[in-house]
């Protein structure tokens, strides 16, 4: 903690809101990487991170992620699992059609 100059989040969650500490931690992170879930997506989207590493789900998934992924938000760095290729948002529409 001291060696890296990190600050530890010490509050906000209660027994009625145990998720709140995770939400605030994700929102306050400078860099985030997460699984495609609505919890992580909203926390990262509403946060102030510099880069948001986002995997693209190959194949059929229950939620059409490609329809909600921002293409004009320069913070998002997408990762295509099958091609092992990272790219920024401007290519998201083309990449989603190819999955």
């Amino acid at each position: 903690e001291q060696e890296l100059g990190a600050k530890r989040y010490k509050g906000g969650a209660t027994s009625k809101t145990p998720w709140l500490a995770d939400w605030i931690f994700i929102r306050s992170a400078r860099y985030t990487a997460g699984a495609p879930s609505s919890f992580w997506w909203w926390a990262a989207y509403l946060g102030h991170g510099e880069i948001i590493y986002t995997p693209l789900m190959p194949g059929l998934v229950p939620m059409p992620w490609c329809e909600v992924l921002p293409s004009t938000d320069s913070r998002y760095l997408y990762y295509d699992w099958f091609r092992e290729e990272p790219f920024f948002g401007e290519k998201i529409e083309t990449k989603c059609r190819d999955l």
Side-chain angles (χ1 to χ4, degrees):
E1 191 176 322
Q2 290 177 340
E3 180 181 326
L4 299 174
K7 295 180 183 178
R8 184 185 298 186
Y9 177 71
K10 298 180 181 176
T14 67
S15 61
K16 294 183 180 182
T17 59
W19 52 269
L20 186 58
D22 292 338
W23 176 269
I24 293 172
F25 179 76
I26 294 168
R27 283 200 59 210
S28 63
R30 220 169 134 187
Y31 304 100
T32 62
S37 71
S38 57
F39 180 85
W40 173 79
W41 189 89
W42 276 110
Y45 181 76
L46 296 173
H48 305 288
E50 292 178 24
I51 298 181
I52 301 169
Y53 297 92
T54 309
L56 291 181
M57 295 294 293
L60 297 173
V61 293
M63 180 173 177
W65 283 104
C66 286
E67 294 178 19
V68 298
L69 296 173
S71 61
T72 58
D73 191 334
S74 62
R75 300 177 302 158
Y76 280 83
L77 178 61
Y78 299 105
Y79 186 76
D80 182 338
W81 291 3
F82 286 143
R83 294 180 184 93
E84 296 183 3
E85 176 184 41
F87 60 93
F88 283 96
E90 68 275 357
K91 296 182 181 178
I92 191 67
E93 288 89 7
T94 304
K95 293 287 185 179
C96 283
R97 284 192 301 266
D98 293 344
L99 291 177

